């Protein structure tokens, strides 16, 4: 089998997360680290218990500093292109949990130029229009407006450009060529871009005029950016940012790859209850058997069942309930149609709530966008 592709621009094939840990040189989140986190958070988020956040860099160091009284800030981001889907929400939901548990400030980057530079057929105006829609989803997740700062690359260019140049001066074309697969035909905006994504990892340190540890929750495909950032920041006199990294929510079509808005196989945060029902019923890949008789006899396979995986990733936080569903499905006591109905209900009750908060978020956008004091 050919190896899966995982980089900031493409995720395809069957991703082997163990292999990725080795290939990227990540540290696995082990029981010892989980216990250490739990000391501070009292409980563990399901995404930690279930190894959905599975790898990190220097998280122990961030906790060392925290235990000595040096607080860290969180940094994550969203480059707008298509609509927001459930896969995007995963790291953000987890980031919100970290913000609550550690009382951390969050710097949320909106690189409105990124997808314009990297994707054909998108204008800068397109990505900017979508960006304001995306902000609604992020605000709807309940981030604390007093502790959360949105930074928009083109709007906050005055704040960011100097830092980006300092990073860029340390990066040669040959360094980014291999990490990002660039060649002679790549536009120079794309080549420069990683310098912009590095900036929020030290921007708060510039603004507050003292070094502050940074923890970046992100999906593992972003790691190539932050490998570079980590190499460079100490040379500029800043801390290396730490990270905590998650795997991908599967698309409806099956457990390989990641949910992506370029395909039909995504559930969007703005989908209606009817859309969700139709998509799950029609498209969600099933680990069940071909006929009811066979299913009762052989049982289903939750590992490849997308509806089950959605419960595991996002929609059934209760471990006991999840294990019960799993057991019944494996034994053939629960049919695919029954499992799908559970998932549809869960997603729709989440979305109903989310969409209500999303509507109210429009008038809060201004509170979140960073303003210099
Ligand atoms: N490159 C990310 C994307 O394609 C956006 C992003 C910017 C980001 N800064 C980040 C993601 C920090 C995670 C963490 O959506």
């Amino acid at each position: 089998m050919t190896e899966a592709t995982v980089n900031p621009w493409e995720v395809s094939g069957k991703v082997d997360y163990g292999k990725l840990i080795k290939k990227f040189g990540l540290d696995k989140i082990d029981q010892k680290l989980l216990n250490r986190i739990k000391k501070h958070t009292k409980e563990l988020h399901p995404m930690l218990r279930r190894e959905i956040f599975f790898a990190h860099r220097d998280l122990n160091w961030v906790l060392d500093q925290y235990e000595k009284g040096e607080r860290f800030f969180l940094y994550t981001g969203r480059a707008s292109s298509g609509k927001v889907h459930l896969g995007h929400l995963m790291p953000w939901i987890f980031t919100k949990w970290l913000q609550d548990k550690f009382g951390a400030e969050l710097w949320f980057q909106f690189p409105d130029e990124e997808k314009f530079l990297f994707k054909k057929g998108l204008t800068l105006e397109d990505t900017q229009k979508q960006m304001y829609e995306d902000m609604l989803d992020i605000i709807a997740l309940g981030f604390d407006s007093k502790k959360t700062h949105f930074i928009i690359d083109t709007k906050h260019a005055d704040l960011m450009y100097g830092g980006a140049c300092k990073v860029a001066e340390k990066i040669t074309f040959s360094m980014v060529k291999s990490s990002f697969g660039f060649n002679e035909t790549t536009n120079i905006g794309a080549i420069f871009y990683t310098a912009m994504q590095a900036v929020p990892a030290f921007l708060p340190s510039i603004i507050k005029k003292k070094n502050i540890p940074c923890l970046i929750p992100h999906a593992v495909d972003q790691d190539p950016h932050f490998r570079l950032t980590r190499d460079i920041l100490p040379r500029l006199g800043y801390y290396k940012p730490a990270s905590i990294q998650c795997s991908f929510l599967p698309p409806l079509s099956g457990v390989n790859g990641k949910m992506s808005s370029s395909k039909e196989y995504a559930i969007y945060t703005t989908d209606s209850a009817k859309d969700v029902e139709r998509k799950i019923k029609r498209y969600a890949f099933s680990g069940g058997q071909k006929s009811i008789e066979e299913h009762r006899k052989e049982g289903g396979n939750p590992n490849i069942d997308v509806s089950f995986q959605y419960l595991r990733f996002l929609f059934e936080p209760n471990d006991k309930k999840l294990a019960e569903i799993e057991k019944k499905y494996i034994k053939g006591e629960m049919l695919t149609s029954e499992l799908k109905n559970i998932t549809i209900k869960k997603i729709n009750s989440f979305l109903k709530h989310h969409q209500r908060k999303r509507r109210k978020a429009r008038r809060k956008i201004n509170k979140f966008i960073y303003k210099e004091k």
Side-chain angles (χ1 to χ4, degrees), residues 157-366:
D158 52 348
L159 264 181
M160 301 179 73
Y161 188 61
C165 285
K166 288 183 188 175
V167 172
E169 194 260 339
K170 304 263 180 267
I171 303 176
T172 64
F173 183 45
S174 82
M175 283 160 75
V176 285
K177 217 163 145 181
S178 56
S179 350
F180 301 116
F182 295 154
N183 62 45
E184 306 299 316
T185 71
T186 305
N187 73 63
I188 62 174
I191 296 166
F192 182 77
Y193 171 72
T194 193
M196 288 299 283
Q197 189 159 322
V199 172
F202 63 108
L203 187 61
S205 299
I206 299 179
I207 292 173
K208 307 229 165 98
K209 298 195 174 69
K210 63 165 194 209
N211 278 350
I212 311 170
C214 169
L215 174 63
I216 313 174
H218 66 82
V220 66
D221 60 336
Q222 297 297 311
D223 188 67
H225 284 298
F226 299 122
R227 282 204 293 274
L228 276 173
T229 307
R230 283 169 51 84
D231 277 349
I232 292 165
L233 292 206
R235 293 157 68 194
L236 300 178
Y238 301 102
Y239 289 142
K240 261 185 197 200
S243 63
I244 181 160
Q245 312 195 11
C246 66
S247 53
F248 306 108
L249 186 72
L252 286 159
S253 55
V255 291
N256 295 341
K258 70 165 179 177
M259 190 176 271
S260 155
S261 32
S262 55
K263 302 184 190 99
E264 166 56 10
Y265 296 114
I267 294 174
Y268 299 101
T269 57
T270 49
D271 276 353
S272 68
K274 276 237 146 58
D275 293 331
V276 171
E277 183 177 352
R278 179 181 56 85
K279 288 183 181 179
I280 294 282
K281 284 192 171 158
R282 188 175 303 173
Y283 299 119
F285 186 85
S286 160
Q289 304 297 338
K290 298 224 161 40
S291 67
I292 293 186
E293 294 72 45
E294 214 177 310
H295 189 88
R296 293 281 186 224
K297 213 163 80 204
E298 307 283 330
N301 179 356
N303 296 333
I304 58 165
D305 192 289
V306 168
S307 309
F308 180 80
Q309 291 304 320
Y310 289 173
L311 295 177
R312 186 174 87 85
F313 274 83
L314 279 169
F315 298 108
E316 183 45 85
N318 185 317
D319 289 347
K320 264 205 196 119
K321 284 189 187 162
L322 188 73
E324 212 161 283
I325 292 170
E326 187 174 27
K327 204 172 80 194
K328 281 190 185 161
Y329 198 55
I330 291 173
K331 282 189 175 166
E333 285 165 21
M334 182 182 282
L335 299 174
T336 294
S337 56
E338 292 166 327
L339 174 58
K340 285 194 172 189
N341 281 331
I342 294 173
T343 303
I344 291 165
K345 252 211 196 122
K346 288 271 181 183
I347 295 178
N348 279 337
S349 90
F350 168 83
L351 284 183
K352 194 172 154 199
H353 189 58
H354 183 79
Q355 287 166 4
R356 195 180 317 125
K357 288 187 292 177
R358 198 179 179 281
R359 278 192 294 274
K360 289 193 189 145
R362 213 168 282 273
R363 53 186 162 79
K364 296 187 191 156
I365 287 183
N366 253 324

Side-chain angles (χ1 to χ4, degrees), residues 23-40:
K23 191 171 158 198
F24 285 1
L26 305 169
D27 289 319
K28 192 172 152 40
I29 298 178
D30 57 14
Q31 198 52 49
K32 200 167 148 220
L33 181 53
L34 288 179
N35 293 342
R36 191 170 181 198
I37 296 168
K38 198 173 169 187
K39 245 186 24 209
H40 296 286

Side-chain angles (χ1 to χ4, degrees), residues 70-74 99 103-107 145-149 159 199-214 238-239 370-373:
E70 191 179 24
R71 304 174 80 93
F72 59 91
F73 71 90
L74 297 161
Q99 175 173 72
E105 283 210 12
L106 164 64
W107 291 75
S145 67
K146 289 192 199 74
K147 288 194 165 148
T148 305
H149 313 289
L159 264 181
V199 172
F202 63 108
L203 187 61
S205 299
I206 299 179
I207 292 173
K208 307 229 165 98
K209 298 195 174 69
K210 63 165 194 209
N211 278 350
I212 311 170
C214 169
Y238 301 102
Y239 289 142
Y370 179 72
K371 279 163 216 77
E372 262 178 286
K373 301 220 174 64

